[in-house]
Amino acid sequence: MITGAAEQHGSVVRALPTPLTAADLTRIRGAVSAALTGFLEEQRATLSAMDPSLTPLVDEVCALADGGKRLRPLFAYWGWRGVTEDVSGPAEDDAAVLRAVAALEFVHASALVHDDVMDGALTRRGRPATHVGFASRHGDDGLSGDGTAFGVGAAILVGDLALVWSDELLRRSGISAPALARARSVWDTMRTEVTAGQYLDLLRAAGGLPGAQGALTVARYKSAGYTVQRPLQLGAAIAGAGPRAADVYTSIGLPLGEAFQLRDDVLGVFGDPAVTGKSADDDLREGKQTLLVALAEEAADDAGRRLLRESLGDPDAGEEQFAALRALIEGTGARARVEERIAERTATARAAIADAPIAAEARAALDALAVAATTRTA
C-alpha cells in the first residue's frame, strides 16, 4: 500500500502526502479483530448456556469474521478521522469508534453467507461455504431429513444472526448517544441497500436488469455502496459532520466502490485460487451475470453467445467449457474493457480524495486504501 511521491493530474503535479504505514494498518486491524473476538466470546457463552448444540453457529460467524482485509472498517475509521477537526463538541473515543466500525464486518459476513446460498457457491475464503459446511455436519452427525436443505436453512440463520449482531455491536460500542443516533441513519440506509442489491442480483440472474447497465446497477447496490461510500459516511456521521462531508465521501465512495467490485469480478474468473481462497470456476459455474459477461455477450458472435447460453451457469460444466468461457471473455475484449473501467473509476476516486477538504493523514490513508482495494489479488 505504497503511494508515489507525486502524481500527474492533468497539467498539475500534486505531491502526495505520507502514505498509510503498516503500523497504522496493524493497529486498526488489530483493534477491529479484538472487538470482534471479545464480542463473539460473549455470544458463545450466551448461546451455549441456552443449549450446547448452538455453538456451531458462533463458530461459523467466528470463521467468517476471522482474517480478511478489514476494508470496510478501515474506510469508516478514516472517514471519521478525516473530519474530526472540522466538528464542534467533544471528540469520540478512538477505541469506541474502532469497536463501532468493527460491526461492519458482521454486515459483510451476513452478506457473504446469503450470497453464497443464492449462488450455490461451494467455497468461501478457502473453506466450505456455510451452507455446504452445515450440510456436511448434517451427514456427519447422522441427522435425519435432507442434508442440503438443512445446510441452506442453517446458513440463512447464520447470516441473519450476523446481521443481528452487527446492530448489537454498534449499539454497545461505547460511542456517545448522539453519535450513535447520527450513525443509525447511514447504518439503516446501508443495510437496506445491501438487501435490495441482493434481490437485484437475484433478479438479474433470472433475466431481469439486462445488459451492462444492469450489471453496474447490481454492483452499486449489492457491494459498492456498503464497501466504501456508506462506511465513509458512517465515520463522518459518528464525528458529527454535516451534509457536505457526506457529499464529499459519495464522490470518493461510489467510483471507488464500483472499481472494487469490478476487481472482485475479474478475480472471480481469472484469480489464483491459492490466493483468493475460492475456485476460479465458481463464478462461471454459478452463472454470475457480471459486467465481464455483459460486455462479452455484447461483443460475441453467434457461436460465442451460444457458448455463454449453454455453458455459463451449467453446474455440470468442466474445465474445457470454463477455459472456452475465459477465452471468450478475453477475446471479445471484455476483460480489457473492465480493466479500463477499473482504472478510470479508481482515478476518479483518487482525484476526489486529493481534492477532498479532509485531514491530510486521512487523505493519505484513503489514497493508499484506494490503490490497495483496486489492485488486490485476493
Side-chain angles (χ1 to χ4, degrees), residues 32 36 65 67 70-73 101-110:
V32 168
L36 296 172
R70 310 299 193 206
L71 280 175
R72 292 159 188 83
V101 301
L104 288 162
E105 289 294 284
F106 286 147
V107 178
H108 184 43
S110 175

Side-chain angles (χ1 to χ4, degrees), residues 275-298:
V275 178
T276 64
K278 182 179 179 179
S279 169
D281 298 337
D282 282 358
D283 282 7
L284 299 174
R285 183 181 290 108
E286 295 156 18
K288 284 196 172 181
Q289 297 292 317
T290 64
L291 184 63
L292 281 171
V293 170
L295 294 178
E297 186 174 23
E298 286 180 1

Side-chain angles (χ1 to χ4, degrees), residues 20-358:
L20 182 64
T21 67
D24 291 324
L25 288 173
T26 299
R27 181 183 76 83
I28 297 168
R29 285 175 172 155
V32 168
S33 294
L36 296 172
T37 298
F39 179 87
L40 286 168
E41 285 307 308
E42 292 181 21
Q43 299 301 334
R44 183 187 303 279
T46 298
L47 290 187
S48 62
M50 293 167 60
D51 192 285
S53 62
L54 291 170
T55 56
L57 298 179
V58 185
D59 292 340
E60 186 65 20
V61 178
C62 285
L64 290 163
D66 185 41
K69 295 171 285 296
R70 310 299 193 206
L71 280 175
R72 292 159 188 83
L74 281 163
F75 279 119
Y77 178 77
W78 287 108
W80 172 69
R81 285 280 292 272
V83 296
T84 52
E85 297 176 0
D86 298 328
V87 298
S88 58
E92 295 295 322
D93 177 67
D94 187 271
V97 172
L98 283 166
R99 286 192 295 271
V101 301
L104 288 162
E105 289 294 284
F106 286 147
V107 178
H108 184 43
S110 175
L112 292 180
V113 173
H114 289 162
D115 193 45
D116 285 346
V117 168
M118 290 190 296
D119 290 343
L122 300 178
T123 58
R124 172 64 66 178
R125 292 181 174 173
R127 59 189 296 273
T130 300
H131 61 284
V132 175
F134 274 93
S136 296
R137 182 184 294 275
H138 178 279
D140 294 342
D141 293 347
L143 301 177
S144 62
D146 187 324
T148 299
F150 178 86
V152 168
I156 291 171
L157 294 172
V158 167
D160 290 347
L161 193 58
L163 198 59
V164 169
W165 284 346
S166 72
D167 264 0
E168 185 175 348
L169 180 55
L170 176 65
R171 177 176 55 81
R172 294 173 48 196
S173 63
I175 60 175
S176 68
L180 181 59
R182 293 190 299 265
R184 288 299 322 187
S185 177
V186 178
W187 188 259
D188 292 344
T189 297
M190 176 188 68
R191 296 194 313 152
T192 296
E193 287 178 346
V194 172
T195 305
Q198 293 278 39
Y199 174 76
L200 292 177
D201 189 30
L202 198 65
L203 180 64
R204 179 168 166 77
L209 295 175
Q213 188 54 53
L216 291 172
T217 298
V218 171
R220 172 176 178 176
Y221 290 109
K222 180 184 173 183
S223 178
Y226 98 98
T227 298
V228 188
Q229 179 198 17
R230 300 308 182 192
L232 286 172
Q233 291 180 338
L234 180 70
I238 291 172
R244 184 187 179 203
D247 290 343
V248 167
Y249 284 150
T250 292
S251 71
I252 297 168
L254 284 184
L256 184 55
E258 180 185 304
F260 171 90
Q261 180 55 46
L262 294 180
R263 173 59 61 209
D264 203 55
D265 293 343
V266 172
L267 291 173
V269 176
F270 297 100
D272 180 354
V275 178
T276 64
K278 182 179 179 179
S279 169
D281 298 337
D282 282 358
D283 282 7
L284 299 174
R285 183 181 290 108
E286 295 156 18
K288 284 196 172 181
Q289 297 292 317
T290 64
L291 184 63
L292 281 171
V293 170
L295 294 178
E297 186 174 23
E298 286 180 1
D301 57 16
D302 289 343
R305 292 192 183 94
R306 185 169 57 254
L307 173 66
L308 286 169
R309 186 169 59 252
E310 294 176 353
S311 296
L312 185 70
D314 178 3
D316 298 321
E319 191 51 48
E320 183 178 346
Q321 290 99 316
F322 295 141
L325 286 168
R326 289 190 184 92
L328 178 68
I329 292 170
E330 291 269 19
T332 57
R335 182 180 182 181
R337 290 176 64 188
V338 169
E339 290 287 357
E340 289 172 3
R341 189 170 181 93
I342 291 171
E344 183 273 323
R345 299 304 277 163
T346 302
T348 296
R350 294 185 73 192
I353 291 168
D355 292 335
I358 57 177

